[in-house]
Amino acid sequence: MSDCLFCKIRDGEIPGDLVYEGDSVLAFNDINPQAPTHVLIIPREHIATLNDLTPKEEPLVGEMIQRAVTIAREQGYAENGYRIALNCNRDAGQSVFHIHVHLLAGRSMSWPPG
Ligand code: AMP
Ligand code: ZN
């Protein structure tokens, strides 16, 4: 999908501060971090929203979560904790329509989220 920001990062058309590059999943630092660590984990495949997932993507979604956990562990947050979040459509504030896991870590966070 040519006008998708995250597809452009995937394809190297715009720069991304990459943290991880795998066969199915990429991770890069958020350009507007909301915590000391704020990493986005995306599938290489363009999927616009969580509503577009089908059972065949279950392993892919599992890999995205597992990669977020691995990055959190590698960066030393396993014990203190961290948050992962996925936003879907307007009410959750989704602004980039290529699914992504947010990994937020390095500060204490309130609940419920705003
Ligand atoms: P969401 O609001 O859940 O769709 O999250 C989209 C995220 O993408 C936001 O946290 C933005 O700060 C982030 N973002 C937007 N443009 C870029 C970019 N060029 N590189 C990295 N992150 C970006
Ligand atoms: Zn895309």
Side-chain angles (χ1 to χ4, degrees), residues 72-73 75-82:
R73 188 184 300 117
Q75 297 197 9
Y77 295 116
E79 187 175 347
N80 282 356
Y82 51 89

Side-chain angles (χ1 to χ4, degrees), residues 12-109:
E13 291 173 23
I14 66 168
D17 185 9
L18 289 172
V19 173
Y20 173 81
E21 269 188 288
D23 289 343
S24 307
V25 163
L26 299 179
F28 49 88
N29 287 311
D30 196 292
I31 203 166
N32 182 24
Q34 301 301 310
T37 285
H38 187 172
V39 176
L40 302 175
I41 298 93
I42 70 163
R44 285 189 181 274
E45 179 187 353
H46 179 87
I47 301 168
T49 80
L50 297 178
N51 294 328
D52 299 305
L53 290 170
T54 67
K56 85 173 162 51
E57 278 91 36
E58 281 180 20
L60 180 63
V61 173
E63 187 174 342
M64 292 167 66
I65 303 289
Q66 190 62 59
R67 181 51 51 187
V69 170
T70 299
I71 293 168
R73 188 184 300 117
E74 285 172 352
Q75 297 197 9
Y77 295 116
E79 187 175 347
N80 282 356
Y82 51 89
R83 181 169 292 166
I84 64 174
L86 298 102
N87 294 323
C88 183
N89 279 344
R90 183 190 58 209
D91 276 1
Q94 185 176 4
S95 60
V96 178
F97 288 83
H98 180 133
I99 61 167
H100 47 281
V101 170
H102 293 261
L103 166 63
L104 296 147
R107 64 171 172 84
S108 95
M109 283 168 246

